[in-house]
Amino acid sequence: MNCNNGLEEKLDELRRLLGKSNGDPLRIVSVGAGAWGSVFTALLQDTYGQFRDKVQIRIWRRPLRTVDRATAEHLFEVINSREDVLRRLIRRCAYLKYVEARLGDRTLFADEILKDGFCLNMIDTPICPLKVVTNLQEAVWDADIVVNGLPSTETREIFEEISKYWKERITVPVIISLAKGIEAALEPVPHIITPTKMINQATGVPMENILYLGGPNIASEIYNKEYANARICGAEKWRKPIAKFLRQPHFIVWDNGDLVTHEVMGGLKNVYAIGAGMVAALTNESATSKSVYFAHCTSEMIFITHLLAEEPEKLAGPLLADTYVTLLKGRNAWYGQMLAKGELSPDMGDSIRGKGMIQGVSAVEAFFELLSQSSLNVLHPEVNKPVAPVELCPILKTLYKILISREQSSQAILQALRDENLNDPRERIEIAQSHAFYRPSLLGQP
């Protein structure tokens, strides 16, 4: 038993909790095959896939998404640079199709290459081959654990579809959401809807069975076994056993009961990462300018956190860590850089080929909408009159004007930093700390 380092015992423990009988495999399905969803599924496959009679791990993605010629050529280079991958494809009689795709004699599809261990949003990091299902009903109808690897902007729609296939279910599945993003709702009062809440509303699965997993991590680096940690948030009944099940020597999973706030923070840092990318590109990676931006954006995040959380100081560490990694190497910061360099424009939309969904764009709109509501007014210290919270968040306002209303160019982010009327970031934090700021209604709390 000891030859697998206790993995089988961890699997058996989770099977018992889910009421699985002998001969009935634990069915884990990941819905959505972006970089993090694919890596998360591949980690499970690498760890537990050897116990085929006890667990079945699969991933769903839409069929018929084509791989363009340039990506096929790059993929061929990646394959030939990795002897282990090259040998595996030759052994599986799959190498020839990549040769043909490189020559333009064949079209590859995203679901097809995922079966061979290549994620379209992460071509440079081959993963293990995955069992791919393109029929959503087949993928989820009897799943015990469903992993939400979809962007927040697609979560509601897909889970409404899934709910149709769960009408006859007797047992309630456990859902682990990886999505970082939010929606704004203004009725009956302004509030945030997170992906776990979307899943709850779409399927009727109780919140105690829905968890959020997030943390400061880059998918490709986690798969390459860089040391990482994450936090699984939700009801104690499931978060503790699932944290134990997911934990690996290079991937430490902690657990926390504060589901919604952690989830919202995961969406908030994407907002400011886009601006950080813009500043980096516009100032030729000036360390000084980037640190000025960091001071302003973190003070705005702290200000917003005080509106959203009763004990905001508990979130400072996770929020800053997640922000830091996103600024260093995340797709939202990359997107901001490409906008500022003129290689992309907001008109191209927020789904970028080879990168996936840029979650920060919809989050900018949602946070701006919410914090513009007069019902949330706070006292402005200088003019001594009530203003909407967004008036104390100049970076957020500027990002909205660049990305959503399109009335300003990326250059405006520098103007926001240089505005001599901008309050010292310290003052914004003091305002938040000195007032009874907390608005439980923003997170749908009574």
Side-chain angles (χ1 to χ4, degrees):
M1 262 313 216
N2 293 333
C3 62
N4 57 51
N5 295 321
L7 291 175
E8 193 164 8
E9 290 93 327
K10 287 206 290 186
L11 177 55
D12 286 342
E13 199 177 319
L14 191 60
R15 283 173 51 81
R16 273 195 301 276
L17 276 171
L18 283 155
K20 303 301 288 186
S21 56
N22 287 342
D24 183 16
L26 175 67
R27 293 175 176 84
I28 301 175
V29 172
S30 185
V31 176
W36 187 205
S38 298
V39 161
F40 187 80
T41 311
L43 288 175
L44 291 175
Q45 179 63 37
D46 280 337
T47 309
Y48 294 107
Q50 58 189 302
F51 309 112
R52 290 181 190 168
D53 55 333
K54 293 188 174 185
V55 65
Q56 177 194 78
I57 298 157
R58 307 193 296 173
I59 188 165
W60 171 84
R61 74 152 295 142
R62 290 184 182 85
L64 304 178
R65 173 77 184 271
T66 58
V67 178
D68 63 43
R69 174 85 180 269
T71 305
E73 289 173 359
H74 182 50
L75 184 52
F76 187 73
E77 288 171 17
V78 172
I79 290 166
N80 286 325
S81 70
R82 292 273 300 263
E83 189 179 335
D84 57 330
V85 176
L86 184 59
R87 286 181 182 278
R88 185 180 81 205
L89 290 174
I90 291 171
R91 205 166 50 242
R92 290 164 64 106
C93 302
Y95 181 64
L96 185 59
K97 68 186 177 191
Y98 292 96
V99 177
E100 292 173 344
R102 174 182 172 260
L103 297 170
D105 296 339
R106 172 178 182 148
T107 300
L108 292 171
F109 294 95
D111 56 292
E112 173 188 18
I113 67 171
L114 191 58
K115 290 175 185 172
D116 292 327
F118 304 106
C119 169
L120 190 59
N121 293 347
M122 197 179 59
I123 291 295
D124 289 310
T125 306
I127 55 177
C128 65
L130 295 175
K131 170 73 175 163
V132 181
V133 184
T134 55
N135 180 298
L136 187 59
Q137 182 171 5
E138 181 193 336
V140 302
W141 73 277
D142 61 349
D144 301 297
I145 296 174
V146 176
V147 178
N148 174 32
L150 297 161
S152 59
T153 45
E154 295 174 25
T155 293
R156 185 186 298 278
E157 177 195 346
I158 296 296
F159 274 87
E160 282 175 352
E161 184 72 19
I162 286 171
S163 71
K164 297 174 189 171
Y165 312 134
W166 285 351
K167 290 273 191 284
E168 309 300 317
R169 279 191 75 125
I170 299 165
T171 58
V172 181
V174 173
I175 298 168
I176 303 168
S177 180
L178 311 178
K180 294 180 175 180
I182 68 157
E183 280 182 4
L186 303 181
E187 298 295 337
V189 292
H191 64 283
I192 288 168
I193 305 174
T194 62
T196 59
K197 197 69 192 167
M198 294 174 205
I199 293 167
N200 163 255
Q201 290 172 353
T203 62
V205 170
M207 285 305 292
E208 74 161 17
N209 275 48
I210 306 175
L211 305 146
Y212 164 69
L213 180 81
N217 43 55
I218 300 292
S220 59
E221 294 185 351
I222 290 176
Y223 196 73
N224 289 332
K225 293 191 163 40
E226 298 291 341
Y227 177 76
N229 57 58
R231 192 173 274 101
I232 193 155
C233 305
E236 190 166 342
K237 176 184 177 183
W238 291 115
R239 74 171 192 266
K240 288 193 178 294
I242 287 179
K244 186 176 177 182
F245 179 71
L246 297 177
R247 197 172 295 134
Q248 297 184 25
H250 66 284
F251 185 58
I252 304 303
V253 181
W254 298 314
D255 69 278
N256 190 283
D258 192 355
L259 168 74
V260 176
T261 324
H262 277 88
E263 204 177 5
V264 172
M265 294 306 108
L268 182 59
K269 53 91 188 175
N270 285 335
V271 167
Y272 291 96
I274 296 177
M278 291 175 183
V279 170
L282 293 168
T283 64
N284 199 23
E285 298 288 341
S286 157
T288 304
S289 295
K290 288 196 286 187
S291 65
V292 170
Y293 176 82
F294 192 70
H296 284 297
C297 81
T298 50
S299 75
E300 287 191 19
M301 285 194 284
I302 290 166
F303 177 81
I304 293 168
T305 310
H306 276 74
L307 285 168
L308 298 172
E310 194 166 13
E311 298 177 305
E313 55 284 347
K314 289 184 179 178
L315 294 163
L319 177 58
L320 283 175
D322 213 354
T323 301
Y324 183 59
V325 78
T326 307
L327 303 194
L328 285 175
K329 205 175 177 180
R331 76 180 78 167
N332 288 278
W334 169 88
Y335 178 71
Q337 286 187 316
M338 293 299 105
L339 287 179
K341 289 176 180 175
E343 293 178 32
L344 291 175
S345 82
D347 297 333
M348 293 175 177
D350 50 7
S351 182
I352 308 297
R353 200 173 191 94
K355 286 286 180 181
M357 184 64 69
I358 309 299
Q359 298 274 23
V361 178
S362 60
V364 166
E365 184 170 21
F367 278 111
F368 180 89
E369 264 192 54
L370 279 170
L371 301 180
S372 299
Q373 301 304 308
S374 58
S375 59
L376 300 173
N377 275 2
V378 296
L379 193 67
H380 194 296
E382 286 183 1
V383 295
N384 202 29
K385 67 176 186 181
V387 294
V390 79
E391 295 304 323
L392 291 164
C393 299
I395 304 291
L396 176 59
K397 275 180 73 175
T398 303
L399 288 169
Y400 182 85
K401 288 175 182 175
I402 296 168
L403 297 169
I404 310 300
S405 64
R406 316 269 172 89
E407 56 194 277
Q408 292 183 335
S409 72
S410 301
Q411 288 281 345
I413 200 81
L414 292 185
Q415 196 52 46
L417 288 188
R418 293 170 183 155
D419 183 355
E420 62 187 39
N421 298 320
L422 201 62
N423 288 334
D424 181 337
R426 177 186 58 80
E427 292 172 10
R428 189 177 296 109
I429 295 169
E430 283 180 358
I431 295 165
Q433 289 175 335
S434 63
H435 292 70
F437 249 46
Y438 175 47
R439 302 285 198 279
S441 59
L442 271 171
L443 295 185
Q445 318 282 347

